[in-house]
């Protein structure tokens, strides 16, 4: 019978419902309608791709708005270049050469270097754009099967629209957010991998809509009329509310949709083939909403040098005005002023190309020829630092992906890290899922190394109140289980049927009798083995293309069984029950089976499952034992959530983490002091009438469109009363190698470590304590999760602005207290009290932010940057850490279980968390100190020659005539002094071992003085170098004029020789630890200069070569020349050596004390 086409209906934003109605075009008429019946949302990635020069080169100009987009791209590139004062100054100088009155040299000598720099930059940007375009094209061109009434057709991922029915094969990435309608698996469920979405490595179980899964064939999807209600697009990847309604039957079928029925984009199907209806595409998918765009990172050292160059420009301008004023402003004084500005531009390190400048004519400004050298030296230094990092054998596998900011590693104040992760070597096995009934591919990881934890749990403790069991007493539990189940077969055989009928009508009643230890152990282990969402999977012997026969070839032995679950805690618990004799052998959506030590199979029906949420902090399951018919409600959760649910006891508070909500108001228990993650396990027996009443109310609550979560929670809460406490479990999340000493090292270095994780609060707190991020004796203040649903549970939660204000005031009264805050609480505090919250949090020795989304992680990084002006570093190993890594001033990625996405997006990539200590303490510290010394020395080299130029012009009646020929200036900035100066990148004040042993040396670099610059490069150190330059420049020029008054024609050779010798000696004065390459650079540069005196003597005379002013070779070999040049050099350098010696003797720096 023909069905009416589904119409498109969307609820308005001002309506009470917060759900949009998405159509499922499942009738033939609907698919034959015009495409306008679909609600078309932005196409996947196509709409969000950043336009640029690569787009233009690849044919984007064919669009009508190509001119505007090209201009925008070019303007962005030019803005990034000329926002720095160096390049802007050079641009102004180059433009001034179009004015005839201001023209000094040839135009090409100014525009060729500038054009070369811009061309290289734009080509680099174009290459990046082309690569980005190719990646986007590859992603958008991936083919998927779209199900239509006429069969399957292939569509590109960029052409997928809302309402399409998309088929996703196993190991294929999901292209858009979808509702899971159907799967090839018999049970109607499948596994997906979400490591690139939420950073969790465990596979997630997804359930198809039962109405569409029950259809006989795929083609029957087009014979029904149905629609889906879906939420508006939002950031939260852990929740979803919606409804599925089938209209063509009486009565209509209504099914509630939750997160278990969704397939988010960027996840990968791990089992079977799935069919879903698209509800969000493009920018509205969860993965894109939680992704931030990368920014262009500029090092703080570059910004500081930019500020110093502005100060140098003002000094240069003032000096030029003084020279013109001393002339009396006669003639074309503005031209002379500009010529003086260009002559004194030695002071400012212009950013341009060395090769083209060297090839330029001698008529180009000598200042421009020397000034570019700062940028050249610093860029080469950054490359050298990157090479040293990658070649360090103590941190193997480290990769430098952004070579422009190595100095940032030495300026860090905040380190924001993820919790979990493990670097590994992957191997693939064919496995068989008892849930899905098909073979799938599992990746097995080894050689753990990652962020803070390995995300591998180990069961450590079972506490029953009167007795506790650890690793050394697990054999006692095993013997009790064997003894207990040895008696069960006879009891079940004798009275199974009668007990079943009785159990269905009445739960166990009567006075409570104190149970034996053996009975209590049996009930506790059974509860742990049943209350979970773990699924056993088995290795398949079938080849890759023989999945159809995989089930027949299964080996269901213990050696081939592994477990999959959404939480590694549950896997650890199930593995422990297996080790003591109670083994989970099979599970599907409706049943599970346990094997006893005697080999007996116990079967249970799964009636309801209540998954763990951050609000409830617990999970539960209602099961019916097939042999007896008993219905039991098992629940496990955090002690703060279970304390009010279980019957009164006197030992739960003592052994758990806390009884009250606040850490600061209670004493940590035994398990917390051991760093264990605790779970409280309880049960409650239900009669048949009790369960049927609960099921009716629960089904109605799940179909509600308004406040569904609150209504469902209220119904479940009615069942969570007077539960019997069974046991307390303790699980350890194994830390990575050397995590504790690394965190201690960072703390001693003055770096504040913040842990940002998506895990629940109790898990994050336990890891913070076990890793010693929070010391055992340190108080911890906890902000509770902010949610209206939490208030319904009766907890003392921060549910309003007023209560958030009270929490902040309570926290303000505490001192030296670590902070634990959830993502919800953080959002409320930042909305109303952003400045106050950040101010208080920055005073904490450690901060733990749990249940954070990727967007919130990046937001926290930006808040620290805005409110503290300190440098931040983010480290993570999953796709959910990419936004945080890109937002930080320095991002470090770890290749781990969660893939390479974080590693590829980071500025630096390491293989283990412990390598961060050496990366910062040794390489970061050295990179910053070396670059600071190198930058100031290069500026000193320009200022000293500007001083000599000023003295020379003053002697010659303030004439704007250059002192040295263009070739000498190029040689001075390159072959004569570049190698010794650049060798400063090899200098180090202390050995690497000393830097690691005394991390307080790192703290000295982050102590900001009164100026806005850092310790090694500050206005104070800059002023010292300015005074040194003025003193040495004056001594060199006046000394040459006084001592060689009779040989004034040789003043160039005299002063320039003394200048080169002074620079070489100043390098030696600056060096703290000599390297053989430094010595070689000194002698090489000196040899090159002596050779120039002999073979390029025409450049050392006064005036132009055409006038016949040559250097007399016999003059430089005379004794007066040698001793007078030596005297000038000695007077310019000896006082500085004396001052340095006295300073090291009476006020030595901290590193010199350690060196001695």
């Amino acid at each position: 019978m023909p069905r009416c086409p589904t119409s498109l209906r969307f609820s308005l934003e001002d309506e009470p419902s917060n759900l949009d109605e998405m159509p499922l075009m499942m009738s033939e008429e609907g698919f034959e309608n015009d495409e306008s019946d679909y609600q078309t949302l932005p196409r996947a990635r196509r709409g969000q791709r950043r336009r640029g020069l690569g787009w233009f080169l690849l044919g984007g100009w064919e669009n009508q708005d190509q001119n505007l987009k090209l201009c925008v791209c070019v303007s962005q590139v030019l803005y990034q270049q000329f926002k720095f004062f160096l390049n802007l100054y050079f641009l102004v100088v180059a433009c001034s050469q179009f004015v005839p009155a201001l023209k000094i040299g040839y135009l090409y000598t100014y525009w060729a270097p500038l054009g070369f720099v811009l061309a290289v930059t734009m080509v680099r940007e174009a290459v990046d754009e082309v690569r980005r375009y190719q990646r986007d094209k590859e992603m958008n061109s991936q083919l998927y099967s779209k199900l239509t009434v006429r069969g399957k057709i292939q569509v590109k991922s960029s052409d997928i629209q809302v309402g399409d029915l998309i088929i996703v094969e196993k190991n294929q990435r999901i292209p858009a957010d979808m509702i899971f309608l159907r799967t090839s698996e018999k049970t109607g469920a499948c596994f997906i991998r979400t490591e690139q979405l939420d950073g969790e490595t465990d596979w997630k179980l997804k359930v198809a809509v039962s109405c569409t899964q029950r259809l006989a064939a795929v083609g029957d999807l087009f014979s029904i009329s149905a629609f889906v209600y879906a939420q508006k697009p939002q950031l939260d990847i852990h929740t979803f509310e919606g409804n599925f309604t089938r209209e063509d039957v009486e009565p209509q079928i209504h099914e509630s949709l939750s997160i278990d029925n969704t397939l988010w984009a960027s996840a990968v199907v791990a089992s079977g083939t799935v069919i879903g209806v698209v509800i969000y595409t493009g920018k509205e998918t969860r993965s894109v909403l939680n992704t931030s765009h990368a920014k262009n990172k500029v090092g703080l050292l570059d910004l500081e040098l930019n500020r110093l160059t502005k100060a140098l420009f003002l000094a240069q301008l003032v000096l030029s005005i003084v020279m013109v004023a001393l002339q009396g402003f006669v003639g074309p004084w503005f031209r002379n002023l500009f010529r003086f500005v260009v002559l004194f531009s030695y002071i400012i390190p212009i950013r341009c190309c060395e090769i083209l400048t060297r090839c330029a004519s001698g008529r180009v400004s000598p200042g421009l020829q020397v000034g570019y050298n700062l940028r050249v030296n610093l860029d080469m230094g950054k490359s050298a630092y990157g090479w040293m990092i990658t070649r360090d054998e103590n941190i193997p596998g480290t990769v430098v992906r952004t070579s422009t900011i190595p100095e940032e590693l030495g300026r860090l104040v905040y380190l924001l890290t993820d919790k979990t992760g493990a670097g590994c070597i992957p191997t693939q096995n064919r496995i068989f899922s008892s849930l899905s009934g098909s073979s799938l591919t599992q990746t097995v990881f080894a050689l753990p190394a990652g962020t803070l934890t390995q995300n591998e749990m180990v069961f450590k403790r079972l506490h029953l109140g009167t007795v506790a069991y650890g690793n050394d007493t697990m054999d006692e539990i095993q013997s009790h289980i064997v003894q207990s189940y040895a008696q069960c077969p006879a009891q079940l055989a004798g009275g199974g049927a009668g007990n079943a009928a009785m159990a269905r009508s009445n739960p166990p009643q009567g006075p409570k009798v104190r149970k034996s230890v053996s009975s209590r152990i049996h009930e506790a282990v059974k509860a742990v083995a049943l209350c979970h969402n773990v699924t056993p999977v088995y290795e398949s012997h079938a080849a890759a293309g023989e999945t159809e026969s995989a089930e027949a070839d299964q080996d269901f032995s213990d050696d081939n069984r592994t477990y999959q679950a959404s939480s590694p805690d549950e896997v650890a618990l199930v593995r422990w029950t297996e080790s003591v004799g109670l083994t989970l052998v099979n599970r599907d959506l409706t049943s599970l089976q346990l094997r006893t030590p005697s080999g007996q199979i116990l079967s249970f029906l799964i009636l309801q499952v209540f998954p763990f949420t951050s609000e409830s902090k617990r999970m539960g399951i209602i099961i019916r034992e097939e042999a007896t018919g008993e219905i039991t409600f098992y629940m496990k959760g955090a002690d703060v959530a279970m304390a009010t649910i279980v019957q009164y006891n006197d030992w739960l508070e003592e052994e758990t983490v806390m009884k009250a909500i606040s850490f600061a108001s209670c004493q940590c228990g035994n398990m917390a002091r051991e760093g264990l993650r605790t779970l409280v396990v309880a049960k409650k027996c239900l009669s048949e009438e009790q369960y049927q009443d609960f099921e009716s109310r629960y089904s109605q609550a799940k179909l509600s469109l308004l406040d569904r979560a609150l209504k469902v929670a209220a119904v479940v809460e009615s069942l969570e009363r007077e539960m019997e406490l069974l046991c307390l479990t303790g699980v350890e999340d194994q830390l990575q190698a050397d995590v504790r000493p690394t965190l201690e090292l960072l703390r001693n270095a003055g770096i504040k470590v913040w842990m940002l994780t998506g895990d629940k609060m109790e898990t994050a707190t336990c890891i913070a304590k076990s890793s010693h991020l929070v010391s055992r004796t340190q108080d911890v203040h906890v902000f509770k999760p902010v949610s209206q649903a939490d208030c319904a549970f009766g907890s003392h939660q921060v549910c309003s602005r007023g209560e958030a204000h009270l929490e902040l005031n309570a926290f303000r009264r505490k001192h030296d207290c670590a902070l634990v805050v959830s993502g919800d609480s953080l959002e409320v505090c930042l909305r109303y009290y952003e400045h106050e919250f950040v101010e208080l949090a920055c005073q904490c020795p450690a901060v733990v932010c749990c249940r954070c989304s990727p967007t919130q992680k990046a937001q926290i990084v930006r808040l620290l940057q805005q409110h503290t002006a300190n440098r931040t570093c983010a480290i993570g190993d999953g796709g959910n850490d990419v936004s945080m890594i890109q937002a930080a001033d320095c991002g470090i990625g770890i290749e781990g279980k969660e893939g390479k996405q974080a590693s590829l997006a980071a500025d630096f990539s390491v293989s283990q968390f412990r390598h961060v200590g050496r990366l910062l303490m040794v390489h970061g510290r050295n990179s910053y100190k070396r670059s600071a010394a190198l930058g100031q020395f290069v500026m000193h080299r320009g200022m000293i020659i500007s001083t000599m130029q000023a003295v020379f012009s003053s002697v010659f009646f303030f004439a704007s005539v250059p002192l040295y020929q263009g070739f000498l200036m190029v040689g001075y900035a390159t072959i004569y002094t570049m190698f010794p100066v650049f060798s400063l990148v090899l200098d180090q004040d202390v050995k690497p071992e000393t830097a690691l042993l005394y991390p307080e040396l790192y703290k000295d670099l982050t102590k900001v003085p009164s100026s806005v610059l850092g310790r090694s490069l500050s206005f104070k150190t800059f002023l010292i170098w300015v005074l040194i330059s003025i003193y040495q420049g004056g001594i060199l020029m006046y000394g040459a004029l006084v001592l060689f008054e009779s040989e004034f024609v040789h003043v160039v050779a005299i002063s320039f020789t003394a200048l080169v010798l002074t620079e070489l000696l100043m390098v030696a004065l600056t060096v703290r630890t000599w390297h053989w390459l430094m010595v070689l650079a000194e002698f090489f540069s000196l040899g090159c200069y002596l050779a120039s005196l002999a073979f390029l003597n025409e450049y050392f005379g006064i005036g132009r070569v055409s006038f016949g002013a040559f250097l007399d070779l016999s003059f430089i070999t005379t004794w007066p020349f040698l001793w007078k040049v030596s005297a000038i050099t000695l007077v310019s350098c000896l006082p500085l050596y004396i001052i340095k010696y006295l300073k090291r003797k009476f006020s030595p720096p901290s590193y010199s004390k350690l060196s001695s």
Side-chain angles (χ1 to χ4, degrees), residues 526 607 621-625 630-634 683-686:
K526 181 179 178 181
L607 303 181
I621 185 172
I622 300 179
I623 59 101
R624 185 199 301 272
E625 189 170 359
E630 293 182 354
I631 300 177
T632 307
F633 174 33
Y634 290 103
K683 78 168 186 177
K684 183 177 184 180
C685 296
L686 304 176

Side-chain angles (χ1 to χ4, degrees), residues 158 307 350 380 383 486 633 676 685 695 702 725 738 793-794 854 860 871 963 1001 1096 1140 1153:
S158 58
R307 286 193 286 267
I350 304 301
M380 292 174 60
S383 301
F633 174 33
L676 300 181
C685 296
E695 184 183 30
K702 289 198 299 183
L725 176 62
D738 298 331
F793 279 98
I860 294 172
R871 310 311 279 178
L963 173 60
L1001 293 173
L1096 300 175
K1140 179 181 179 181
K1153 299 176 184 178

Side-chain angles (χ1 to χ4, degrees), residues 185-224:
E185 307 301 319
K186 300 177 181 179
T187 56
C190 75
F191 283 111
I192 65 171
R193 304 196 303 268
T194 61
E195 62 270 9
Q196 296 300 337
L197 184 63
D198 57 11
E200 298 181 5
T201 59
D202 302 286
W203 294 358
K204 305 296 189 301
L205 181 66
K206 297 296 181 179
V207 182
V209 177
S210 58
C211 178
T212 53
Q213 179 65 27
R214 288 195 301 264
L215 296 176
V218 175
D220 293 339
L221 287 172
F222 301 104
S223 64
I224 67 173

Side-chain angles (χ1 to χ4, degrees), residues 50 95 140 164 294 323 336 347 446 477 687 705 1115 1128:
R50 185 164 63 92
C95 292
N140 293 331
D164 288 350
M323 299 298 290
N336 293 332
I347 299 176
I477 298 179
S687 66
L705 295 179
F1115 171 74
I1128 296 174

Side-chain angles (χ1 to χ4, degrees), residues 463-539:
H463 202 289
L464 300 177
T466 57
V467 61
Y469 297 90
N471 289 334
D472 53 346
T473 56
M474 289 300 174
D475 54 341
E476 297 183 21
I477 298 179
Q478 186 175 6
S479 63
H480 284 296
I481 295 298
V482 172
Q483 180 183 359
S484 177
Y485 279 102
Q487 303 172 359
C488 288
Q491 297 175 356
L492 293 175
N499 292 338
M502 185 179 299
R504 292 188 185 97
S505 58
N506 297 303
Q509 301 290 339
K512 296 183 180 179
V513 180
R514 188 174 183 86
K515 300 178 182 178
S516 65
V517 174
S518 180
S519 175
R520 293 168 62 190
I521 291 177
H522 170 237
E523 291 185 1
V525 175
K526 181 179 178 181
V528 174
L530 291 173
C531 187
H532 54 74
N533 63 355
V534 180
T535 302
V537 292
Y538 296 89
E539 183 177 352

Side-chain angles (χ1 to χ4, degrees), residues 512-714:
K512 296 183 180 179
V513 180
R514 188 174 183 86
K515 300 178 182 178
S516 65
V517 174
S518 180
S519 175
R520 293 168 62 190
I521 291 177
H522 170 237
E523 291 185 1
V525 175
K526 181 179 178 181
V528 174
L530 291 173
C531 187
H532 54 74
N533 63 355
V534 180
T535 302
V537 292
Y538 296 89
E539 183 177 352
S540 172
H541 299 297
E546 302 174 358
T547 56
E548 295 81 1
S549 61
E551 185 175 358
D553 295 335
Q554 292 311 308
D555 179 5
F556 293 94
S557 64
D558 294 343
D559 295 337
N560 287 329
R561 181 175 54 251
T562 57
Y563 298 106
Q564 287 293 339
S566 59
S567 172
D569 301 60
E570 298 200 320
V571 174
L573 295 174
V574 172
R575 286 175 178 169
W576 172 75
T577 61
E578 179 184 1
S579 68
V580 297
L582 200 56
T583 306
L584 175 66
V585 294
N586 187 25
R587 176 171 182 159
D588 56 29
L589 294 177
T590 59
S591 65
L592 61 83
Q593 293 178 337
L594 301 179
R595 188 180 64 207
T596 66
S598 61
Q600 179 189 5
I601 300 297
L602 305 179
S603 297
F604 301 87
L605 296 177
I606 301 176
L607 303 181
Q608 298 289 345
V609 177
F610 312 111
F612 176 89
T613 64
S614 59
E615 292 80 15
S616 64
K617 301 182 181 62
R618 53 191 180 269
M619 72 86 57
I621 185 172
I622 300 179
I623 59 101
R624 185 199 301 272
E625 189 170 359
E626 291 187 357
T628 63
E630 293 182 354
I631 300 177
T632 307
F633 174 33
Y634 290 103
M635 176 163 284
K636 66 182 179 184
D639 54 290
V640 292
M642 300 292 290
T644 59
I645 294 176
V646 299
Q647 298 171 352
Y648 174 77
N649 62 86
D650 56 358
W651 59 272
L652 176 60
E653 178 181 358
E654 177 186 356
E655 291 297 328
T656 54
V657 178
M658 56 187 176
K659 174 147 180 99
I661 290 180
S662 176
F663 270 89
S665 63
C666 68
Q667 181 181 6
C668 293
N670 298 333
M671 290 189 180
R673 283 190 289 270
E674 298 177 13
L676 300 181
R677 301 162 66 165
T678 58
L679 286 175
V680 180
V681 183
K683 78 168 186 177
K684 183 177 184 180
C685 296
L686 304 176
S687 66
E688 188 71 29
E689 291 77 11
Q690 285 177 323
Y691 174 72
Q692 293 299 333
D693 175 66
F694 166 79
E695 184 183 30
S696 175
R697 292 184 290 115
Y698 186 68
S699 300
Q700 292 178 0
K702 289 198 299 183
L703 292 174
S704 176
L705 295 179
L706 295 176
D707 300 327
R708 175 185 298 179
L710 289 175
K711 294 178 180 178
V712 170

